[in-house]
Amino acid sequence: MCTMSTPHLSTPPAGGIDPARVHSLLAHERASYIARNPRSQAQAVHTARHLMFGVPLHWMNDWATPFALHMAHAQGAHLTDLDGHVLADFCLGDTGAMFGHAPPVVMQALAAQASRGCTAMLANEDAAAVGDALAERFGLPQWQFAMTATDANRFVLRWLRAATGRAVLLVFNGCYHGTVDDVFVDLIHGQPHQRDSLLGQVHDLTRTTRVVEFNDLAALEAALAPCDVACVLAEPVMTNIGMVLPDPGFWEAAQALIRRHGTLLVLDETHTISSGPGGYARAHGLQPDAVVVGKPLGGGMPCAAYGFSAGLAARAEAAKRAAPPGHSGIGTTLTANLLAMAAMRATLTHLMVPNVYAPMHTLAARLADGLRSTVARHGLPWCVSQVGARTEFQFCPTPPRNGSEAEAAMNPALEHALHLYLLNRGVLITPFHNMMLVCPDTSEADVTRLLQAFDGALTALCAADS
Ligand SMILES: Cc1ncc(COP(=O)(O)O)c(C=O)c1O
């Protein structure tokens, strides 16, 4: 899941398209969706009987659909919905299924483990194998686990505050690191502001969370200057407010600043793991003190892991040993259960490997090129960015350099119209902004299908009232 946001703007919506055309396309696509999905509609009525918001998790309503699409099954790059439409899936569970739906190697490992025990709060032989593979892949020697990337970030934050004795967290404006409350502080007109959408949070998070714009080295230095920041928690490329790429040299300079102020760098590679088997950091020579990986790490099973440098691990272990006995605030009962370990071992051994990534990257580049030329052909002021297997189009002429610029480029109505148009033509992309992910099973034909549908959508948007 990623953030949905509303630009703090009084100017016309981004995108260069007349809002009336957007609304007329949206109305047409909503009617078409309703006509195409009678079984999903009936099932949505049933689901709503006892599930709040009519869905298992309230944000499943963030899709552009008039009622929740219900699925039958999914395999590889394709998802079949309840009405029998076979969709080319470029959402892939918002990265959870980045290695394809139900990858056979993971399914076999799960089946083999399931009959030998699912959870025991004990390690088996998979534990050492997974630790070895993570250390080799990410270049960090010490690891622990969580069920979700959210929890992994939360646990890392706790370890690092304990290890450093510092309270402050520093994040980049517009970030998302799961539902970790501490990160929900935005910069509004240059001032930190706790996100109004955050439910039930009774603490003033601005006391301990500092926020600066991405790619702003001067602001980063100023925020680090009091030497009270435990860690900078960041995605190496921002992916949750649309995509925001680092300026050339940004991370080299930022890492030096962070180190100079005695602060630790945590890179959240939950989405940028699409860059390669060791994430963006390994692919680009960054040297974080800690790394978080989640979502696709278990081939679709809920698993996450975090790795520490030797120095940080020693400090974290010392903090735990120095603490009185009792609850640490870190961990959950089923974390690192036997099924999760089997799934991670299979994923790390067979899927998080260079020869699986290489074709994904080639196809993602073809997709990005195709989107660029389609946008250019329609003369629209939109840009396209790609990070590994991940591609995004944004409603601004040049890639945004920070969260505020990325937010200003958003246009929820236009996104909804596009997403629904694509869905009605058998193509699924993420409900939040305009992200498309390629998995090992995605074919050239899937990419062609997406590009043709995208071209059709732009034709409809640009010609709706001509
Ligand atoms: C960068 C990043 N970190 C963490 C998370 C949280 O992942 P999960 O919802 O699986 O806990 C997300 C989810 O989108 C994410 O994008």
Side-chain angles (χ1 to χ4, degrees), residues 1-2 94 148-150 153 176-178 235 240 268 270-271 295:
M1 148 70 186
C2 317
D94 195 18
T148 64
T150 297
N153 281 319
Y176 182 76
H177 296 282
E235 288 189 275
N240 281 302
D268 179 352
T270 300
H271 280 174
K295 296 200 183 181

Side-chain angles (χ1 to χ4, degrees), residues 1-3 57 59 93-96 147-154 175-180 233-240 268-272 292-296 302-304 390 432:
M1 148 70 186
C2 317
T3 46
L57 175 59
W59 67 46
D94 195 18
T95 312
M147 299 281 288
T148 64
T150 297
D151 269 350
N153 281 319
R154 215 189 322 265
C175 71
Y176 182 76
H177 296 282
T179 54
V180 180
L233 171 59
E235 288 189 275
V237 173
M238 295 183 79
T239 67
N240 281 302
D268 179 352
E269 295 263 21
T270 300
H271 280 174
T272 48
V292 169
V293 211
K295 296 200 183 181
C303 329
R390 209 176 175 81
F432 324 108

